[in-house]
Amino acid sequence: MKTQEQEQAPAVAVDPMEDLCQALFSTEDGARKKAARQTAGAMTQRPWPQLPSRLRSAVRSDISRLLDSGNARAQIIEAGYSAGVVNQALRDLGRSGA
C-alpha cells in the first residue's frame, strides 16, 4: 500500500554524474562542493583517462580555480581531492602545484 507522499512525489530522473560535475563547476564553496571533491578524489581506482570527459573537465576547472586563488597542491588535497586526481589534473593543465 502506497502512502500519500509516495503517490504525489513526481518521478524525476537524477543523473548523479551531472550533479557531481555541476557541483565542481560551481564557483561557490560549501559542503556540496567538498563532498563532490571527495567523491571525485575517491575515483582513483579508475585510470584518469577512463573517467568521463565532463568529470575530468569539471575537476580541472575546479583545481585551476583553486590554483588561481593562491592555493598550493597540499591545500587542494585538503579541500577534498586525492593526490592522484590532483596530479593528473595538474598534468593536464600543464601546471605545477607549488
Side-chain angles (χ1 to χ4, degrees), residues 37-73:
R37 288 173 177 155
Q38 290 172 337
T39 300
M43 294 182 169
T44 56
Q45 71 274 11
R46 290 180 66 185
W48 178 255
Q50 289 182 4
L51 294 176
S53 63
R54 180 152 168 83
L55 177 60
R56 290 190 317 251
S57 179
V59 168
R60 286 190 300 263
S61 173
D62 187 38
I63 288 177
S64 181
R65 192 171 22 255
L66 288 169
L67 288 170
D68 291 345
S69 297
N71 290 298
R73 181 181 177 280

Side-chain angles (χ1 to χ4, degrees), residues 73-95:
R73 181 181 177 280
Q75 292 169 308
I76 294 170
I77 293 170
E78 286 175 17
Y81 285 112
S82 69
V85 167
V86 172
N87 291 340
Q88 289 292 336
L90 290 174
R91 190 172 301 129
D92 284 2
L93 292 166
R95 297 175 74 170

Side-chain angles (χ1 to χ4, degrees), residues 14-28:
V14 176
D15 181 0
M17 187 61 67
E18 183 59 28
D19 188 47
L20 177 64
C21 291
Q22 286 180 4
L24 293 173
F25 277 127
S26 170
T27 57
E28 297 177 17

